[in-house]
Amino acid sequence: ENFSEALECVREGKADILTGITRSYSWGKECNVYLTNSYLEAPVALIAQSVDMQDGIRRLALPRDYYITGQLERQYGKEAITYYDSVEECVKAVSDGRADATYANSYVANSYLNRGEFRKLRLVELSVYAGNISAAVSKQCDPRLLSVINKSLNCVPNSKMDEILLNNMLKKRSMRPLQDFIYENPMDAVLIMFLTACFIMAVLAYIVWLKYRSERKIKETSRIDGLTG
């Protein structure tokens, strides 16, 4: 259901691999997992209502078990942070005004900000928190699995990794075309819904009229003789 549950499955050996992990040895040691070689560079981005809010952040939304949580707690204070189960919930909290900002790697952040409902949010990439993305491997697995994955990752050229990334980000965005259209074009969406409602009402009125005309014809036929009137 969320990242914390997935991480716990890897810790307990119920799952072997958890992907999309920022490569931090201290985090890996704390969570008791092996980390593979990195396969993607992803600077961390700040997501806020406006770029000017960087210096005025009082309420921060963070996903649980985030690798820079310790640094952000020291920067903002624990009382300023509210934890959520996913990055999406954090972004929604910022969009709804329940939080001033959140942090996510730039690829994840861009994929959410491409959605119509989050288009008004702003993103700032922060090189100070730049991270390399890797996979976490359960320590319950055969240690050779880590070696196999590292060798496999070393065989993937950067061009292929860019292709995989691009295809998946485009596919993810195309899954919400209707919602994005409504958020991006609210007036057009209202107009379309109004015209659709008018069309449906016209069709219903026509059906009622046909039924009324048919019933009237049946009554006339039952009472009036065609030959004598």
Side-chain angles (χ1 to χ4, degrees), residues 69-87:
T69 294
Q71 300 175 57
L72 295 175
E73 284 180 348
R74 288 190 292 273
Q75 180 177 347
Y76 295 100
K78 292 183 179 181
E79 65 282 352
I81 300 175
T82 302
Y83 294 98
Y84 295 87
D85 287 332
S86 66
V87 176

Side-chain angles (χ1 to χ4, degrees), residues 37 52 62 74 119 147 182 190 198:
N37 292 341
D52 300 332
L62 282 183
R74 288 190 292 273
R119 284 290 174 86
S147 177
I182 293 173
V190 170
C198 290

